[in-house]
């Protein structure tokens, strides 16, 4: 049985991951409005992955006998000054999520909740990947600067990203 403090934090994380999905979908819409289909594709896939993260927490709460309580999702930002600003926001947002996962892990250690601690390991590794990916793209955008050919090349590269197929049904 989940302790109330852990259940509350996991429910909050469902909301945070769902908001992440919404934020990246908003970034996808922004890139579509610029005609940058590759950047939009990358953000659409990012949004799908965040939805899956949300569902992993959703399923875990149910699987451990907890209660899922969904709350409203806040409005995401809808416009940006530049491609650079979008990826600065992306990195900043992933840092925020990393901080939350770390806090959740610390809470589990305080509460001696080893099962949830074990469940969170996947997210700790995932956040390392997320931070690395966002940092790399941000680095490339900074190198490209105002070079349109460079932007076009990166757009083509990001168009090749394909969704990771993951199970979103409840664990057996
Ligand atoms: Fe996530
Ligand atoms: Fe993420």
């Amino acid at each position: 049985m989940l302790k109330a403090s852990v259940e509350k934090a996991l429910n909050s994380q469902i909301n945070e991951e769902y908001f992440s999905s919404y934020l990246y979908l908003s970034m996808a819409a922004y890139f579509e409005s610029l005609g940058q289909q590759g950047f939009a594709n990358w953000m659409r896939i990012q949004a799908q992955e965040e939805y899956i993260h949300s569902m992993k927490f959703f399923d875990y709460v149910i699987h451990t006998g907890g209660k899922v309580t969904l709350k409203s999702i806040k409005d995401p930002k809808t416009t940006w000054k530049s491609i650079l600003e979008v990826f600065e926001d992306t990195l900043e947002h992933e840092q925020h999520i990393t901080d939350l996962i770390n806090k959740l892990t610390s809470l589990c250690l305080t509460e001696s909740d080893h099962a949830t601690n074990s469940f969170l390991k996947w997210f700790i590794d995932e956040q390392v990947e997320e931070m690395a990916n966002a940092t790399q793209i941000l680095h490339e955008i900074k190198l490209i600067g105002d070079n349109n050919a460079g932007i076009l090349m990166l757009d083509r590269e990001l168009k090749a990203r394909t969704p990771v197929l993951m199970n979103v049904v409840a664990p057996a």
Side-chain angles (χ1 to χ4, degrees), residues 90-152:
T90 298
L91 183 58
E92 193 181 309
H93 183 69
E94 288 301 333
Q95 183 61 63
H96 165 67
I97 297 293
T98 299
D99 293 344
L100 290 174
I101 297 289
N102 287 340
K103 275 188 196 145
L104 244 173
T105 304
S106 299
L107 175 67
C108 290
L109 295 175
T110 309
E111 299 283 13
S112 300
D113 185 342
H114 302 295
T116 305
N117 187 43
S118 173
F119 165 75
L120 288 171
K121 287 207 169 91
W122 185 90
F123 284 93
I124 291 169
D125 295 342
E126 174 66 11
Q127 282 313 116
V128 172
E129 274 300 304
E130 291 275 66
M131 295 291 294
N133 291 341
T135 302
Q136 180 59 31
I137 296 173
L138 186 57
H139 171 69
E140 289 179 21
I141 289 167
K142 282 179 180 167
L143 284 179
I144 289 166
D146 295 334
N147 185 324
N148 284 338
I151 294 288
L152 202 62

Side-chain angles (χ1 to χ4, degrees), residues 13 16-17 20 24 49-51 53-54 57 94 97 101 122-123 126-127 130:
Q13 198 62 30
E16 291 280 352
E17 299 288 347
S20 303
Y24 291 132
E49 288 193 0
E50 299 299 353
Y51 166 72
H53 295 173
S54 180
F57 281 102
E94 288 301 333
I97 297 293
I101 297 289
W122 185 90
F123 284 93
E126 174 66 11
Q127 282 313 116
E130 291 275 66

